[in-house]
Amino acid sequence: GAVVSQHPSRVICKSGTSVKIECRSLDFQATTMFWYRQFPKQSLMLMATSNEGSKATYEQGVEKDKFLINHASLTLSTLTVTSAHPEDSSFYICSASSKQQGGEKLFFGSGTQLSVL
Amino acid sequence: GQNIDQPTEMTATEGAIVQINCTYQTSGFNGLFWYQQHAGEAPTFLSYNVLDGLEEKGRFSSFLSRSKGYSYLLLKELQMKDSASYLCAVRIYDYKLSFGAGTTVTVRA
C-alpha cells in the first residue's frame, strides 16, 4: 500500500530557531498534501493544504509567515516552523492523497513531535 | 465553522462491545472517516462511509445517517490492544478533513 514518510520523528530545538519537517510520498505522486497539528489529548487541526507547484492554502488563524510550506515536487512537501517558541511545541502530522484503483485514499505520515525549549 | 462532536472517554471490558457516536454539522459533506490513533502515533484508517447504512469490517463496523448528521463506530469483541483514541472525521471537500476531538477508549481486563 501507499506509504508516506515523515522526518524527523522527534526534534528538540531552542526558542528562536527554525525547524524543517519533511513529508514524502514514497510510492505515489501526491498532488495535494495536508499539514495538521495536534496538541496533547486534542484532535488534529488542519493547518494548511499544500498543492504541488502553487502556494499553500492556510486555515484561518494559522500564520503563513511562521509556518512556511513548500511543495516543490509531487512527492515532497516541507513545513518549516520559523522562529519557534515553546507554544509551537506540538505533534505535527502530514497526509497525502493518492488516486488509486477503487478511489482516492488518504495516507498519514508518522508524525513529528516538536519540543521547543 | 465545522462542528463534530463525539464523547471524550469510554471504558469497556475485554470481550465486550462499545459504540462510539459522532454527530456533525459541517459546511460540506463528502464522506465520513473513522481513524484509530495510539498516543504519539499517526492515525490509522478504520472505515469510510459515504452512503447511509452500515459498513462491516471484521470486528469493526461503522454506520452513517446523512439526514441525521450522525455516525457511529462499533467495536466488537474488544481486545486490550483496542485501547486508543478514535477519531471521527468529515470529508468537507476533496480530501480536506475536519476532525472531532477524539474518543479515548480504555479496555479493562
Side-chain angles (χ1 to χ4, degrees):
Chain A
V3 177
V4 174
S5 174
Q6 185 174 340
H7 291 282
S9 58
R10 183 177 295 273
V11 59
I12 301 171
C13 68
K14 292 182 179 179
S15 186
T17 60
S18 294
V19 174
K20 179 184 282 189
I21 303 169
E22 291 190 349
C23 181
R24 293 180 184 271
S25 55
L26 296 184
D27 54 0
F28 66 99
Q29 293 183 330
T31 53
T32 304
M33 290 186 175
F34 302 88
W35 287 96
Y36 294 86
R37 179 169 53 183
Q38 185 178 35
F39 291 106
K41 297 191 177 182
Q42 295 185 25
S43 191
L44 283 76
M45 297 299 295
L46 180 66
M47 298 176 67
T49 302
S50 170
N51 297 298
E52 187 266 335
S54 63
K55 291 183 179 180
T57 302
Y58 289 82
E59 295 300 300
Q60 193 173 7
V62 178
E63 299 175 59
K64 61 180 181 180
D65 294 330
K66 181 169 182 63
F67 299 99
L68 300 179
I69 292 172
N70 185 281
H71 195 156
S73 76
L74 286 172
T75 59
L76 175 65
S77 177
T78 61
L79 167 68
T80 302
V81 183
T82 62
S83 186
H85 288 99
E87 57 265 30
D88 298 324
S89 298
S90 185
F91 191 57
Y92 293 85
I93 307 176
C94 69
S95 67
S97 63
S98 168
K99 287 183 169 60
Q100 299 184 339
Q101 190 176 10
E104 190 170 3
K105 293 190 176 182
L106 188 68
F107 300 92
F108 284 88
S110 54
T112 298
Q113 183 64 54
L114 170 63
S115 299
V116 185
L117 305 178
Chain B
Q2 321 295 348
N3 289 314
I4 301 173
D5 294 316
Q6 52 182 128
T8 306
E9 294 179 327
M10 300 183 76
T11 301
T13 308
E14 197 173 14
I17 297 173
V18 71
Q19 177 174 315
I20 307 170
N21 296 323
C22 173
T23 57
Y24 62 89
Q25 287 180 305
T26 55
S27 58
F29 183 84
N30 283 291
L32 188 143
F33 291 86
W34 283 97
Y35 287 90
Q36 180 191 63
Q37 185 181 28
H38 289 96
E41 299 180 10
T44 55
F45 171 82
L46 291 178
S47 68
Y48 175 58
N49 294 66
V50 65
L51 299 176
D52 291 351
L54 187 67
E55 295 277 343
E56 296 187 86
K57 276 188 179 181
R59 294 190 299 113
F60 294 173
S61 302
S62 57
F63 171 83
L64 175 67
S65 169
R66 289 171 296 172
S67 62
K68 294 182 180 179
Y70 168 70
S71 173
Y72 68 72
L73 178 70
L74 195 68
L75 288 66
K76 306 174 193 173
E77 301 170 17
L78 279 174
Q79 301 175 9
M80 299 299 287
K81 67 178 182 179
D82 296 330
S83 292
S85 180
Y86 291 85
L87 308 176
C88 170
V90 172
R91 180 178 176 181
I92 307 300
Y93 63 84
D94 291 336
Y95 255 99
K96 180 174 179 176
L97 300 184
S98 185
F99 284 82
T103 299
T104 300
V105 172
T106 302
V107 181
R108 294 182 173 167

